[in-house]
Amino acid sequence: MSTFNYKLRDRSIIIEFAYGRNNRFKVSTGYRVSNVNNWLGSQNIRNVIEENNVNGQYSALQINKKLSEIKDSFLVEFDLLIEQGENVTNELLKDCIKRLKTNNQQKKTVVKQLGFFEYFDLFIKDTETGKRRNKTNKNIITKATIRTYNTTKVFLEEFVLFRQKPIYFSQIDVDFYDELNEYADVQKVISLNYKGKHIKLLKAFLEYVNTKYKVKIINYKPSDFLVEREVVDEIALSIEELDVMYNLDLSDNELLCRTRDLFLIGAYTGLRVSDFGALTMSNIVMIDNVECFQTYIDKTALEILIPLSSKVKSIIKRNHGLPKKMFPQKINDNIKIVGELAEFNAEVLITKTIGGKKITKTFFKYELIKSHSARRSFCTNAYLNGVDSITIMNISGHKTESNFLTYIKVPPKEHAKRLANHSFFKMM
């Protein structure tokens, strides 16, 4: 961890800077105080008459300003030395302080170091252009995912405004992580999973700029930046509830009717909203006399075939084709109204961590329906009706069965019924 402080030694103001492992740098600023009692805990000189004379032409206020400027400029230059791969020594730092005090520049040209957010913009741009890809399968990262990068950038920019201090690469350490955590919990009061997404992306960014642009982040340890996650209860609609929604008379409201039909296509295919919203009639193919959707899954970069159920064929027929596309947020808003009209009024307890505290709230089931509930409903209903996990995971995109099983919403009694009806159990 690097730390920069001003200290008093025999009334002289000195710099104490710690960097790396057991590296200490001390140097005098050349400024003094007339009375040690005038040295404030905030590392400033009290603005009184006696202090306006001790340093010649400089007043206490002017010295305080210079001390602030020296600190900020020194940390920027230290980051530059690290980023350029210089072997940082006390002599090098002493020369840096000397130049900052006298405002003299080095004779050689120093390349301006990019700041934290300038590198973050490069990180986003490289992802958009395909220079940076998915680490696992080398696929191009989707536009929807890249939009979340900008959300994290805004979160970090707001953090900087709140703390009133820039983010220096040399000071990204476990203390920085703790400060960011506290900001997320106390100031922003966001959920644990939402905070975890920001931390996860921050770690990906730091790894990328360190590898791609050789940015030195000397105090950063990935293991210190814990990405906290929790399994939050999300609802799934049963086949019976989907039937109620399917049969609901919405003929007097075209928008709700279209929302309902788009949602049901997701619930009968297991596709993500971005994928079922992109379907066209040209995606329908005949495979061995079975009509299927043949489509490319954006997130997993896989081409899949999904048989059209009788309900999906009926939806296509009553819409004279596939329903027109709709923004996911519009679906989220409207499908709750559809759920209310379908009288999905069962009370559901939801527990999640918000602002660092476990909070439990009661909702009506219809309030919890969103576009993603369609895919969760498909996975749950397919699992309960005997479709093997690997087949479902091929559509859902889950990498491991353990993650998949946390995703589906199966009450314990349903697991028991599933086991009781299995041929293996009947053999015992």
Side-chain angles (χ1 to χ4, degrees):
M1 174 173 51
S2 62
T3 56
F4 184 109
N5 287 298
Y6 289 114
K7 302 286 186 180
L8 279 187
R9 180 187 293 167
D10 297 330
R11 294 192 293 118
S12 293
I13 303 172
I14 66 168
I15 294 169
E16 287 190 0
F17 181 64
Y19 62 101
R21 180 175 292 181
N22 299 322
N23 292 320
R24 299 290 184 269
F25 170 64
K26 295 182 181 181
V27 67
S28 173
T29 63
Y31 302 121
R32 295 170 58 82
V33 296
S34 64
N35 188 328
V36 293
N37 292 326
N38 290 333
W39 180 246
L40 301 176
S42 57
Q43 299 189 12
N44 283 292
I45 305 173
R46 194 187 306 277
N47 185 29
V48 293
I49 294 176
E50 59 196 82
E51 292 300 342
N52 288 336
N53 297 323
V54 70
N55 290 285
Q57 72 270 34
Y58 297 118
S59 68
L61 288 178
Q62 288 173 318
I63 294 174
N64 288 339
K65 182 179 179 182
K66 285 183 175 293
L67 293 178
S68 178
E69 290 172 350
I70 288 173
K71 179 179 179 179
D72 287 343
S73 299
F74 177 83
L75 290 173
V76 169
E77 293 219 11
F78 178 72
D79 268 358
L80 175 60
L81 293 172
I82 295 297
E83 193 270 332
Q84 291 179 335
E86 292 279 0
N87 180 27
V88 179
T89 64
N90 284 357
E91 285 300 315
L92 202 58
L93 297 178
K94 188 175 181 179
D95 180 62
C96 173
I97 290 294
K98 183 178 179 181
R99 285 186 294 101
L100 293 174
K101 283 166 54 180
T102 58
N103 292 322
N104 290 331
Q105 299 299 315
Q106 286 177 301
K107 291 182 179 179
K108 66 176 182 179
T109 302
V110 176
V111 178
K112 179 185 180 294
Q113 181 195 15
L114 297 180
F116 178 89
F117 288 107
E118 291 170 306
Y119 273 117
F120 206 98
D121 288 337
L122 271 179
F123 170 71
I124 294 174
K125 183 178 178 182
D126 287 355
T127 307
E128 289 173 335
T129 58
K131 288 182 181 179
R132 175 182 173 271
R133 298 192 173 207
N134 186 297
K135 283 182 65 177
T136 304
N137 53 26
K138 303 303 179 186
N139 289 330
I140 291 176
I141 294 170
T142 64
K143 292 181 179 178
T145 300
I146 295 172
R147 282 197 291 271
T148 67
Y149 294 5
N150 286 295
T151 303
T152 295
K153 181 187 174 186
V154 170
F155 169 75
L156 292 169
E157 287 173 334
E158 291 174 345
F159 170 61
V160 166
L161 287 175
F162 171 76
R163 76 199 294 240
Q164 296 185 329
K165 183 170 64 175
I167 298 175
Y168 299 109
F169 284 111
S170 60
Q171 295 187 322
I172 295 178
D173 54 19
V174 67
D175 290 337
F176 173 85
Y177 170 77
D178 290 340
E179 187 181 358
L180 191 62
N181 251 313
E182 184 177 359
Y183 169 74
D185 289 340
V186 178
Q187 298 300 322
K188 297 296 286 184
V189 196
I190 59 178
S191 71
L192 186 70
N193 287 344
Y194 194 39
K195 178 177 68 174
K197 288 182 179 180
H198 290 318
I199 299 295
K200 182 180 179 181
L201 183 60
L202 174 62
K203 293 178 69 170
F205 161 68
L206 295 175
E207 179 186 353
Y208 182 74
V209 296
N210 174 251
T211 304
K212 174 72 175 178
Y213 294 104
K214 309 304 178 188
V215 175
K216 306 296 181 185
I217 317 171
I218 59 174
N219 300 308
Y220 168 66
K221 293 180 181 178
S223 59
D224 288 336
F225 283 57
L226 179 65
V227 178
E228 296 180 278
R229 300 299 302 273
E230 66 180 350
V231 177
V232 177
D233 287 333
E234 298 278 358
I235 60 111
L237 300 182
S238 67
I239 291 177
E240 293 74 20
E241 288 171 322
L242 293 175
D243 285 343
V244 171
M245 186 179 285
Y246 173 85
N247 291 313
L248 196 63
D249 183 7
L250 298 173
S251 56
D252 62 342
N253 192 314
E254 187 276 334
L255 184 61
L256 292 183
C257 186
R258 179 155 57 102
T259 300
R260 183 265 314 274
D261 287 351
L262 283 169
F263 178 88
L264 288 175
I265 289 175
Y268 293 140
T269 62
L271 291 170
R272 294 175 178 83
V273 62
S274 58
D275 293 318
F276 72 67
L279 291 173
T280 66
M281 294 300 291
S282 63
N283 289 109
I284 300 176
V285 298
M286 191 71 72
I287 304 293
D288 295 335
N289 294 319
V290 177
E291 280 188 294
C292 298
F293 281 126
Q294 184 179 46
T295 186
Y296 179 86
I297 302 301
D298 218 7
K299 188 170 184 177
T300 59
L302 292 175
E303 188 175 78
I304 62 171
L305 290 168
I306 306 172
L308 270 66
S309 69
S310 59
K311 291 284 197 326
V312 170
K313 292 177 183 178
S314 178
I315 289 170
I316 292 174
K317 184 176 180 180
R318 73 186 182 192
N319 282 273
H320 306 290
L322 286 164
K324 294 179 183 178
K325 298 178 184 178
M326 188 180 296
F327 288 115
Q329 189 55 54
K330 267 292 184 186
I331 295 177
N332 288 343
D333 293 339
N334 295 331
I335 199 62
K336 290 176 175 56
I337 300 173
V338 173
E340 187 175 13
L341 292 173
E343 298 183 352
F344 297 155
N345 296 324
E347 293 188 346
V348 181
L349 289 176
I350 298 294
T351 300
K352 65 169 63 176
T353 303
I354 300 177
K357 299 176 182 177
K358 287 276 188 183
I359 295 176
T360 300
K361 290 182 66 177
T362 302
F363 297 89
F364 291 117
K365 191 168 188 176
Y366 70 81
E367 295 179 296
L368 301 173
I369 306 174
K370 53 189 175 184
S371 60
H372 197 68
S373 306
R375 203 165 83 94
R376 193 179 292 274
S377 299
F378 171 85
C379 293
T380 301
N381 292 325
Y383 178 80
L384 287 174
N385 285 276
V387 181
D388 66 274
S389 299
I390 301 301
T391 299
I392 306 172
M393 288 165 59
N394 185 54
I395 297 173
S396 69
H398 289 92
K399 300 293 189 298
T400 65
E401 191 167 14
S402 59
N403 282 337
F404 168 74
L405 292 175
T406 65
Y407 181 81
I408 61 175
K409 307 311 297 178
V410 181
K413 68 177 183 179
E414 294 295 342
H415 279 298
K417 286 166 59 178
R418 181 180 168 87
L419 177 60
N421 293 324
H422 198 282
S423 59
F424 169 75
F425 189 76
K426 291 178 180 178
M427 292 169 57
M428 300 174 68

